[in-house]
Amino acid sequence: MLDSLHEGATLSIAFIESPTPGHVGTADDVAVCVVRCIEGTARLGMVFQHPRTTAGLRLSSIEWYGRQADQLDTVHSGKVTLTGVGAETLCRRDVLSSVLHGYPVVSQDRL
């Protein structure tokens, strides 16, 4: 089994959608986006750094080809729900990098 606690991921936002009924939280702290995973594997529960603030956004759902998934691998696109303060300020083409305990995850090939 992979050690997902130390694995990083980077997501690029292609589109922003309105939150759908049934999501927990207010519209201000939920963003439903179509993203492309450009590095690593994004997993449910991972926290991503907001590009313009210090806020963290939790990956709370992944839809891949119309099905719920636990992860999104490199080069794949999917619809994700991100929750956290400032989610409403995300924009198309923003790049989100995963964080580990408040610090950006540095992939091993960048060391």
Side-chain angles (χ1 to χ4, degrees):
M1 181 177 187
L2 294 174
D3 183 3
S4 61
L5 292 176
H6 296 94
E7 183 178 324
T10 304
L11 303 175
S12 176
I13 297 176
F15 302 101
I16 306 282
E17 296 183 3
S18 298
T20 57
H23 282 290
V24 176
T26 66
D28 292 344
D29 64 6
V30 176
V32 178
C33 311
V34 174
V35 300
R36 182 171 184 91
C37 186
I38 57 177
E39 181 179 9
T41 299
R43 290 178 168 40
L44 289 178
M46 285 181 112
V47 176
F48 288 83
Q49 179 69 48
H50 190 288
R52 287 174 295 285
T53 71
T54 58
L57 301 170
R58 183 165 304 279
L59 181 57
S60 57
S61 76
I62 301 170
E63 184 180 313
W64 186 64
Y65 286 102
R67 296 182 181 181
Q68 292 299 311
D70 293 333
Q71 66 186 41
L72 188 64
D73 296 321
T74 302
V75 306
H76 291 277
S77 295
K79 185 188 294 187
V80 301
T81 302
L82 297 161
T83 56
V85 175
E88 79 283 359
T89 64
L90 289 174
C91 298
R92 184 173 179 249
R93 296 190 180 134
D94 279 348
V95 175
L96 306 174
S97 295
S98 61
V99 297
L100 177 63
H101 304 295
Y103 299 98
V105 176
V106 177
S107 64
Q108 294 298 322
D109 57 340
R110 290 187 186 171
L111 295 177

